[in-house]
Amino acid sequence: MEASPDRDLILRARRGEAEAFGELVRAHQAGVFNVCYRMMGERREAEDMAQEAFIRAYQRIGTFDAERPFGPWMRRVAANVCLNHLAAHKPEAAELDEERDADSAPLPESGREAREEAEQVRAALKGLPSHYRAVVELRHYQEMSYEEIAAELKIPLSDVKSHLFRARKILAETLSHEPSH
Amino acid sequence: MNHLTDEILNEYLDNTLPPAARAVAESHLRACADCELRLDELADVFSALSALPELELARDLSADVVRALTPQPMPLPRLLKWTAALQAAAALVALIASLPLLQTLFVFEIPAVSLPTVPDLLARLDQMALGVQEFFARFQFQAPRLTLEFSSLFITVAVFSVTLLWLVGNGLLLRPSNQIRSQGDLR
Ligand SMILES: [Zn+2]
């Protein structure tokens, strides 16, 4: 069996080498940031949450099996950190919507339509209740099964399904109402 | 005929239906335009979600993370270094200022200026060896009496300032170094 490429770094980080963990951060930060961006809907907050997620992961790295791939675990931790944060700090959604934000980095003209579509999807995601958003994140972006999601979020399987299906219904309605072109 | 439920449609797209149920759903979908339309709408959500592009991270987070994970010995701020020097000076001043006071605590005169010579010290050790009782018998304690121009207010101020400086200096030094910040427990 092929050893996880991050194995050595994980073992060193477990011995308290923060620098080794820094390597892991560099390797996985983009993916983790994207999880956080989908959950938080705002770049600055997503960066903060990504950082927080890595710190939480470091604190629990002793319980992580170094033979398993680090990335998927890390992204789950990130989704959880975001969800907990969102649950603890109830929405101020309305104001933040305005500043959704500087990802209007200049794109080639051909990319504009795609960017608008992406913006609509992000806005629709952000409109979901945070626990729905977490289930969508874990199912659609982290490709976890219903059962894995239930275990990860510590909620009943029936809740996973109902949250996921309702979330999709809301997304379908939101996206079909947006003038997409 | 009974249309497919939302749950069936969702599970169909999630590929979680058992084979028999999947076959039933497929044959219904072939026959029912309504359900096929509902499935298409749902499938659009799937493709919209998966088409969402990954964003670039604008800055490297690793340095901040590593810094947060490394317990930092706090570098002494310049002000604090001065405070330390000031403390030492103030302590010295207070010590000198308190010498006359110390002298007045005792009835006999301490030769305050001339340093004791070695035979002198030996003699004193000798005397100490005579015994604790005898040693204490030589002194009579009395209230401090100031003979120099040091007022007791001056002494009080000196001692107070030293204490204050000490408290401030050490309070800053002993401030908890940055702890790993964290919020809420992972569930
Ligand atoms: Zn039907």
Side-chain angles (χ1 to χ4, degrees), chain B residues 1-4 28 32 34-35 38:
Chain B
M1 68 187 154
N2 282 335
H3 289 301
L4 299 177
H28 180 94
C32 176
D34 284 355
C35 285
R38 286 166 59 217

Side-chain angles (χ1 to χ4, degrees), chain A residues 38 121 140-141 143, chain B residues 43-54:
Chain A
R38 288 187 294 265
V121 174
H140 282 269
Y141 296 99
E143 293 167 352
Chain B
D44 283 347
V45 173
F46 279 57
S47 41
L49 288 172
S50 61
L52 192 64
E54 295 267 299

Side-chain angles (χ1 to χ4, degrees), chain B residues 160-172:
Chain B
F160 178 78
S161 328
V162 172
T163 312
L164 193 69
L165 278 169
W166 183 84
L167 281 176
V168 170
N170 287 280
L172 289 173

